[in-house]
Amino acid sequence: MSAEEPLFRVVRGVPTAEELAALVGAIVVRSRPAAVPAPAAVSTWARSGRPASPRTWRTAGLPR
């Protein structure tokens, strides 16, 4: 494929600039990988600083 050869062409009809932009946008979105990378795992050290439940920080200051 040469640099001057178009990636696609309209074979019928006369699309407006907006219609061509919508087509290009749809092609770009469909060409992206479908799988989203998994979020990075939180380290044990970072997790240890977080409360286990929403009320834990309140009860932490109470006598045991």
Side-chain angles (χ1 to χ4, degrees):
M1 177 188 277
S2 69
E4 296 177 15
E5 186 177 324
L7 295 175
F8 61 91
R9 64 188 174 108
V10 178
V11 293
R12 200 179 331 172
V14 182
T16 64
E18 292 83 12
E19 291 171 335
L20 284 176
L23 175 63
V24 170
I27 291 172
V28 168
V29 169
R30 293 290 296 169
S31 65
R32 292 182 183 166
V36 177
V42 178
S43 70
T44 305
W45 179 83
R47 194 175 357 178
S48 68
R50 297 182 184 151
S53 70
R55 294 184 182 163
T56 303
W57 67 271
R58 291 180 185 163
T59 58
L62 298 175
R64 294 180 193 221

